[in-house]
C-alpha cells in the first residue's frame, strides 16, 4: 500500500490488519501490548474505558452481561474476587480512609441503605450491607437515639 501511495485511515489499517491475522494472534498481540504498559498507563487506560461506559442505571442487561462475562463467557479475573463460585452472591467493597469520622460513617450508612431501598432488585434477591461504616453508622444513630431518650427521662426527674 505504501508503494501505491494510498493513505488509509487508522480504522482502515486496523480493518486490513484484522483481516490478515487470526483471533488467536490478535488476542496474543493485545496481551503483549498490555504487558508493555506501565502500571500508571494501565490505570489511565482503565480510567478512560470506565469514563466511556454509560452510567450503570443506563446500561441494559446485554451490556452488563458482556462486561461481567467478557472473558469468553467467563468472569474476568479482576471481577472474580467479587463473585462467589456458585454465582449466587456478590460482594461490593467500599473502602474508607483511616481517619473517617463517625458522622461520615453514619452518612455512608444512610446513603447505602437508601441505595439498597431504591435499587429495584427482584424480591427474591436479598441485599445486605455490612462492615465498619455500616456498624459504626448504626451505632452512632442508635447512641444518638438512646441519648435523646435518656435525656428526656432525666429531664422528667429533674422537673419533678
Amino acid at each position: 500500500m505504501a508503494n501505491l501511495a494510498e493513505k488509509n485511515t487508522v480504522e482502515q489499517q486496523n480493518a486490513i490488519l484484522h483481516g490478515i491475522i487470526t483471533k488467536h494472534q490478535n488476542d496474543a498481540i493485545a496481551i503483549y501490548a498490555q504487558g508493555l504498559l506501565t502500571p500508571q498507563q494501565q490505570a489511565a487506560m482503565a480510567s478512560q474505558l470506565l469514563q466511556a461506559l454509560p452510567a450503570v442505571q443506563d446500561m441494559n442487561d446485554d451490556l452488563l452481561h458482556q462486561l461481567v462475562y467478557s472473558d469468553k463467557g467467563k468472569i474476568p479475573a479482576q471481577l472474580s474476587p467479587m463473585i462467589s463460585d456458585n454465582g449466587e452472591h456478590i460482594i461490593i467493597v467500599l473502602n474508607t480512609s483511616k481517619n473517617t469520622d463517625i458522622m461520615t460513617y453514619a452518612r455512608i450508612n444512610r446513603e447505602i441503605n437508601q441505595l439498597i431501598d431504591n435499587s429495584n432488585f427482584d424480591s427474591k434477591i436479598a441485599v445486605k450491607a455490612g462492615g465498619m461504616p455500616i456498624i459504626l453508622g448504626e451505632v452512632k444513630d442508635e447512641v444518638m437515639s438512646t441519648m435523646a431518650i435518656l435525656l428526656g427521662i432525666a429531664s422528667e426527674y429533674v422537673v419533678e
Side-chain angles (χ1 to χ4, degrees):
M1 289 184 167
N3 292 339
L4 298 174
E6 289 185 33
K7 300 224 183 228
N8 291 319
T9 65
V10 173
E11 290 81 18
Q12 291 170 325
Q13 292 172 5
N14 283 337
I16 292 167
L17 180 62
H18 288 294
I20 296 171
I21 64 174
T22 67
K23 172 132 177 50
H24 176 72
Q25 290 169 325
N26 189 46
D27 291 345
I29 291 169
I31 291 168
Y32 175 74
Q34 281 289 328
L36 295 176
L37 299 175
T38 66
Q40 293 84 5
Q41 290 169 323
Q42 289 176 358
M45 180 183 277
S47 174
Q48 289 174 349
L49 286 172
L50 288 175
Q51 289 175 3
L53 292 173
V56 174
Q57 61 268 23
D58 297 332
M59 291 182 183
N60 61 29
D61 291 343
D62 291 335
L63 177 58
L64 287 170
H65 190 270
Q66 288 174 357
L67 292 173
V68 173
Y69 296 102
S70 61
D71 190 16
K72 298 177 185 168
K74 297 180 184 170
I75 296 168
Q78 299 90 332
L79 294 180
S80 64
M82 295 185 345
I83 301 174
S84 66
D85 291 337
N86 63 10
E88 294 181 4
H89 303 88
I90 186 167
I91 297 174
I92 299 174
V93 179
L94 171 69
N95 292 315
T96 57
S97 70
K98 292 179 181 176
N99 46 352
T100 302
D101 61 31
I102 196 161
M103 297 300 284
T104 303
Y105 283 136
R107 182 179 52 80
I108 290 170
N109 179 41
R110 282 191 302 278
E111 289 176 4
I112 287 175
N113 284 315
Q114 285 175 347
L115 284 170
I116 291 170
D117 291 343
N118 298 331
S119 64
N120 298 322
F121 282 112
D122 186 295
S123 62
K124 298 175 189 171
I125 298 174
V127 180
K128 297 179 182 177
M132 194 56 67
I134 303 303
I135 293 169
L136 289 178
E138 291 286 335
V139 166
K140 187 256 178 209
D141 288 343
E142 192 63 35
V143 166
M144 294 304 286
S145 171
T146 305
M147 284 179 58
I149 293 169
L150 289 175
L151 185 59
I153 293 170
S155 64
E156 274 187 35
Y157 285 112
V158 172
V159 172
E160 292 177 4

